[in-house]
Amino acid sequence: MNNSEYNKAEDAVNNTENSLKNAADNAKWKIEDLADKAKDYINEKRNNDQEATQEDWLDKVKNNFSDTWDDIKDKANDAWEKTKDAAEDVKAEWNKKTN
């Protein structure tokens, strides 16, 4: 068996890793930004003569991270399927060459 089948599987694994890293990097609100987002939320409420509440703020954060989790989960699922398919291709090639 030549290295091209192994390289194909390794590329699929690398693509999986990169896909997950990109999903995390592209999260809508990164942890470092939460303090600034909280200040913006409080100022927005104040400017509209509304009360800023912790409960409302936490709901906003939870909803944002829920959307982010869905994005990451979709990318992880796609990466899993691509990696699994590549592994199956390598296994089939191996079986064909050893039988």
Side-chain angles (χ1 to χ4, degrees), residues 1-11 90 94:
M1 181 161 113
N2 63 36
N3 284 335
S4 67
E5 287 86 15
Y6 289 116
N7 290 340
K8 185 176 176 183
E10 185 177 13
D11 288 343
V90 169
W94 176 258

Side-chain angles (χ1 to χ4, degrees), residues 32-87:
E32 307 89 49
D33 297 333
L34 283 177
D36 290 335
K37 297 282 186 188
K39 289 177 192 174
D40 292 344
Y41 165 77
I42 292 168
N43 288 331
E44 178 186 331
K45 290 292 186 176
R46 185 181 305 139
N47 292 338
N48 291 323
D49 292 326
Q50 298 173 335
E51 182 182 356
T53 65
Q54 184 180 17
E55 184 179 338
D56 185 41
W57 166 244
L58 291 177
D59 282 344
K60 286 180 156 301
V61 173
K62 183 174 102 177
N63 290 336
N64 178 269
F65 279 105
S66 177
D67 292 344
T68 300
W69 169 246
D70 288 341
D71 292 345
I72 291 172
K73 185 173 67 171
D74 291 344
K75 289 183 191 282
N77 186 51
D78 185 48
W80 173 265
E81 290 300 322
K82 288 179 182 176
T83 302
K84 188 173 86 173
D85 291 346

